[in-house]
């Protein structure tokens, strides 16, 4: 279980997160809604360890991870701007996390290609990421997040650049894998229909606090 406990965080002296607590069980998805600038991405970055909260703590299965660096948490974060590695081709972007985990490069690339195939990007495995469209880059970022089988999956507007058919396909793929692999997932989205399709529980971030939606 992923747990955020009483997170406080300020930006420019302004309280952004004002006592946020959230629990996500293994295999479940919690949706995070809220206006632009309300702090959703900041909260995900705090969960991932990319930002340190001024106060409060981050836990997973009873262990305090607040001071654990991001790469040691076993979480995957998919950023709103994708944050792909521009110097690597598509398959190496996706294989990166596996190689980091010690998987031999050849096997990592094979697994990356298999996942890219499922995401409709088989033909682009050797392309430079800069040459892909926005929606294609988003799928590369999704594959990169999923391939390491993280214990927590933190997704920031993951399907926003996709057409309706692809979005539906990838939602289904993620729902299945989250449940099967028992990942704890947080989904940030502006799309309430998408949030309800993916998440068993929804919250809105308003004035630095979480308000239950369903
Ligand atoms: N590292 C940072 N650099 C610049 N601004 C930041 C940073 N962290 C937080 N902020 C500010 O904090 C506020 C919340 O930002 P955040 O990105 O968390 O919002 P958000 O809810 O994800 O918005 P959106 O829906 O537009 O993605 C914004 O006003 C933003 O300018
Ligand atoms: Mg954001």
């Amino acid at each position: 279980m992923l747990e955020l406990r009483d997170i406080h965080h300020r930006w420019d002296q302004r309280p952004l997160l004002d006592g946020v607590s959230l629990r996500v069980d293994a295999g479940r998805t919690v949706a995070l809604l809220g206006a632009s600038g309300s702090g959703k991405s900041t909260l995900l970055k705090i969960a991932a360890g990319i930002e340190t909260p001024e106060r409060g703590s981050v836990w997973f299965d009873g262990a305090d991870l607040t001071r654990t660096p991001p790469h040691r948490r076993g979480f995957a974060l998919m950023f709103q701007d994708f944050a792909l590695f521009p110097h690597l081709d598509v398959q190496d972007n996706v294989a990166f996390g596996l190689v980091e985990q010690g998987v031999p490069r050849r096997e990592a690339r094979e697994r990356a290609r298999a996942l890219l195939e499922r995401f409709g990007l088989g033909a682009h495995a050797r392309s430079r990421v800069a040459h892909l469209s926005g929606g294609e880059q988003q799928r590369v970022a999704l594959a990169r997040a999923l391939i390491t089988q993280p214990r927590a999956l933190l997704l920031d507007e993951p399907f926003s650049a996709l057409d309706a058919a692809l979005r539906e396909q990838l939602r289904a793929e993620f729902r299945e894998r989250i449940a099967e692999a028992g990942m704890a997932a947080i989904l940030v989205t502006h799309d309430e229909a998408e949030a309800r399709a993916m998440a068993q529980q929804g919250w809105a971030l308003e004035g630095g606090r979480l308000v239950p939606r369903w």
Side-chain angles (χ1 to χ4, degrees):
M1 183 212 301
L2 171 64
E3 224 185 329
L4 304 174
R5 287 192 196 159
D6 199 28
I7 302 288
H8 291 256
H9 201 63
R10 263 178 311 190
W11 185 257
D12 265 355
Q13 318 294 344
R14 193 170 64 89
L16 190 56
L17 303 170
D18 189 22
V20 171
S21 297
L22 182 66
R23 290 165 55 153
V24 192
D25 287 325
R28 311 280 284 179
T29 301
V30 163
L32 204 55
L33 300 151
S36 184
S38 60
K40 304 180 298 295
S41 295
T42 304
L43 190 62
L44 278 197
K45 287 176 188 164
I46 287 171
I50 290 159
E51 299 245 12
T52 308
E54 282 171 17
R55 197 138 67 77
S57 52
V58 179
W59 296 72
F60 197 93
D61 282 354
D64 184 351
L65 301 183
T66 315
R67 313 242 165 276
T68 304
H71 63 279
R72 295 255 186 80
R73 294 189 182 199
F75 301 172
L77 172 63
M78 187 203 147
F79 291 95
Q80 218 166 354
D81 64 0
F82 315 145
L84 296 169
F85 306 117
H87 59 292
L88 300 180
D89 67 15
V90 165
Q91 73 178 6
D92 281 344
N93 263 276
V94 177
F96 182 84
L98 291 177
V99 174
E100 287 263 284
Q101 287 178 349
V103 175
R105 190 173 297 275
R106 206 172 133 201
E107 185 193 331
R109 282 182 172 154
E110 272 166 26
R111 283 165 62 183
R113 279 199 301 273
L115 192 56
L116 285 165
E117 205 68 58
R118 285 192 69 83
F119 283 18
L121 287 176
H124 292 292
R126 305 304 306 275
S127 305
R128 294 173 57 106
V129 290
H131 294 166
L132 301 186
S133 74
E136 288 164 348
Q137 291 188 24
Q138 187 161 43
R139 279 177 281 157
V140 175
L142 284 165
R144 189 179 61 176
L146 209 52
I147 200 161
T148 53
Q149 302 205 306
R151 51 189 189 163
L153 194 53
L154 308 168
L155 303 170
D156 204 345
E157 298 280 0
F159 311 121
S160 57
L162 306 179
D163 64 56
L166 261 176
R167 190 179 300 155
E168 192 37 63
Q169 183 201 328
L170 285 171
R171 275 185 200 162
E173 178 100 24
F174 270 73
R175 267 197 307 262
E176 216 170 278
R177 288 184 184 237
I178 287 164
E180 254 174 30
M183 296 182 261
I186 302 180
L187 168 72
V188 169
T189 177
H190 285 111
D191 179 345
E192 180 155 349
E194 172 163 293
R196 287 184 183 271
M198 293 284 299
Q200 294 80 36
Q201 211 177 25
W203 299 87
L205 201 46
E206 286 175 17
R209 293 178 165 267
L210 285 181
V211 180
R213 292 291 285 272
W214 67 86

